Amino acid sequence: MKVLVTFQPHNKVPDFEGARLRKSIKGSLEMANVEYTTSIVDKFDIMHLLSIEDDNKANDAIENDIPLIISALYCEDDPLANYLDYKSKDGNRVTSLKLRGLKFLNKADLVLVPTASTRDFLIDSGVTSDIQIALPGVNIARFDFSRADEKDIFYRYFGENRSKKLAVAIGEYDNNMEGIGAFVNAAKKCPDVLFYYFGRESVPGITKSFKVRRLIDIAPKNVKFKGIIPDDVYRSALMNADIFMLPGYKKAGVVTILDAMAAKCQLIVRKSAIFDGLLEDGKTAYLADYSETLTSLTKDYFDGNLKKTTEQAYQEVLKNSLKNAGEKLKWIYQQQINIKEL
């Protein structure tokens, strides 16, 4: 068995969640002794895609009668690997599957998703392909806390004080910046803590807009707004972070959440940003419906008034080791090959 695993970001866009998911799949297959390739010109028995941008490769799989697996809803923070659209309707935020995503997923022999709620969402959105649940493998060794040099990268890169506590958030930069106020207000209530916001731009150049620039300009000095940074710097940030926050309303990337759990960050996240069933309030994270709650939870945690949920979250991640994920993928691939041979 040989698998094509591919995700190729554009040259001008930094590697982000899609690239990390690709690495996770490749690492899982190595642990399961499954041969893989990243080149479409190689010979392979099964194709595993991550992004709508690879629609042409999906057509190749169909034309050559090769089993096609697509992973969906793992990388919603990555503009090159996400599947969801968001809009306001009658004062409410509405989440929908992109039309391109629906057509793409319906080409698959099998769609892999992270949770039962994501499976139900795709079915309700019109996906007719077979759907199975499979969390990606997590490379626990990426967060080896015995490596002092790895932990130190964040402070060297940004020139920050090592003695200060750190809160990290992932989101995006757009004209609405929905939810970012909770992050800024938490920073105001915790002036001795560093708050780093790593955001992607859904539209190139949006950070030059007046609304976004104004928000950044009036934020307290302990808040730093950054773009997507190199993976080693981001990994180091997680290794040092006391809190990982998701202040936005849009569905967040599962890959990023699992990384934060593996790094033993305390998760404080907006409930609407999490796919149902991924985290459990008070056990693996603290979930909040409202911005005021996100802010108060953050302050309470830094004041020592909340118990940590990091250990239970870490134990959950250990269940999704590269080895366990690799064995599951191996079984899934073989099942799809067997079906094609019938």
Side-chain angles (χ1 to χ4, degrees):
M1 179 196 307
K2 189 173 185 178
V3 185
L4 172 71
V5 181
T6 181
F7 171 77
Q8 185 61 48
H10 300 315
N11 291 334
K12 294 184 179 180
V13 179
D15 284 0
F16 193 30
E17 284 186 327
R20 293 211 299 276
L21 180 58
R22 179 191 59 200
K23 290 178 183 178
S24 169
I25 293 171
K26 289 163 59 177
S28 296
L29 297 182
E30 289 171 2
M31 294 296 292
N33 295 315
V34 175
E35 190 176 2
Y36 66 83
T37 180
T38 58
S39 174
I40 192 71
V41 299
D42 282 348
K43 290 184 178 181
F44 47 87
D45 306 296
I46 195 162
M47 184 183 292
H48 192 159
L49 303 180
L50 315 179
S51 170
I52 303 172
E53 303 301 322
D54 281 325
D55 187 58
N56 60 327
K57 295 185 179 71
N59 294 333
D60 289 341
I62 294 169
E63 290 175 8
N64 292 285
D65 201 31
I66 294 171
L68 174 61
I69 310 278
I70 298 176
S71 290
L73 303 179
Y74 294 88
C75 304
E76 288 306 304
D77 286 314
D78 193 328
L80 297 180
N82 61 15
Y83 287 82
L84 301 179
D85 272 332
Y86 301 87
K87 63 181 180 180
S88 294
K89 184 177 181 181
D90 299 327
N92 296 315
R93 299 177 183 86
V94 178
T95 301
S96 61
L97 180 64
K98 294 177 180 178
L99 181 58
R100 287 182 64 209
L102 175 61
K103 294 178 179 178
F104 180 60
L105 295 178
N106 277 337
K107 294 179 180 181
D109 294 289
L110 176 65
V111 176
L112 299 181
V113 295
T115 64
S117 63
T118 50
R119 177 193 59 201
D120 295 342
F121 172 82
L122 291 184
I123 292 172
D124 293 342
S125 298
V127 175
T128 55
S129 300
D130 188 21
I131 304 174
Q132 290 188 31
I133 300 167
L135 279 174
V138 179
N139 184 2
I140 303 298
R142 287 183 73 224
F143 304 100
D144 181 358
F145 287 87
S146 67
R147 292 287 306 274
D149 56 331
E150 293 286 335
K151 284 196 68 175
D152 199 47
I153 290 174
F154 168 80
Y155 294 104
R156 295 201 310 268
Y157 191 85
F158 290 114
E160 293 289 1
N161 186 336
R162 291 169 176 78
S163 65
K164 288 196 172 185
K165 292 183 177 181
L166 174 67
V168 166
I170 284 287
E172 69 175 348
Y173 294 109
D174 62 21
N175 276 321
N176 294 321
M177 292 288 281
E178 290 185 321
I180 192 63
F183 189 70
V184 173
N185 287 336
K188 290 178 180 177
K189 291 183 177 296
C190 305
D192 295 327
V193 178
L194 292 172
F195 283 75
Y196 265 76
Y197 183 89
F198 299 112
R200 64 176 175 86
E201 293 183 87
S202 54
V203 178
I206 196 70
T207 51
K208 297 181 178 65
S209 75
F210 173 78
K211 288 183 179 179
V212 176
R213 289 305 319 168
R214 174 62 177 163
L215 186 147
I216 292 174
D217 289 343
I218 65 175
K221 292 183 179 180
N222 59 322
V223 179
K224 309 295 177 68
F225 293 97
K226 304 294 179 180
I228 301 306
I229 56 177
D231 183 63
D232 60 338
V233 183
Y234 178 73
R235 183 174 70 249
S236 177
L238 289 184
M239 293 170 72
N240 287 284
D242 298 274
I243 284 178
F244 176 84
M245 185 188 292
L246 293 171
Y249 292 88
K250 297 181 179 180
K251 296 298 184 187
V254 172
V255 171
T256 292
I257 295 169
L258 293 177
D259 278 350
M261 294 167 73
K264 297 185 177 181
C265 301
Q266 176 59 56
L267 272 63
I268 297 180
V269 303
R270 193 176 297 275
K271 188 175 181 180
S272 63
I274 303 299
F275 292 115
D276 290 343
L278 183 63
L279 298 173
E280 189 172 357
D281 187 28
K283 293 189 176 180
T284 56
Y286 287 107
L287 310 183
D289 286 303
Y290 306 108
S291 294
E292 294 82 0
T293 312
L294 283 171
T295 298
S296 62
L297 284 171
T298 302
K299 186 177 188 311
D300 285 346
Y301 185 79
F302 281 123
D303 287 345
N305 297 326
L306 286 180
K307 70 172 185 177
K308 292 184 177 181
T309 65
T310 52
E311 188 55 38
Q312 186 156 341
Y314 184 73
Q315 293 304 316
E316 289 297 316
V317 163
L318 290 181
K319 298 176 183 177
N320 302 309
S321 66
L322 292 180
K323 179 176 176 57
N324 290 345
E327 292 298 329
K328 183 163 188 174
L329 283 176
K330 183 178 182 179
W331 181 85
I332 288 172
Y333 293 156
Q334 190 59 60
Q335 291 297 308
Q336 294 303 309
I337 291 173
N338 292 345
I339 291 170
K340 284 288 186 181
E341 292 176 348
L342 292 177

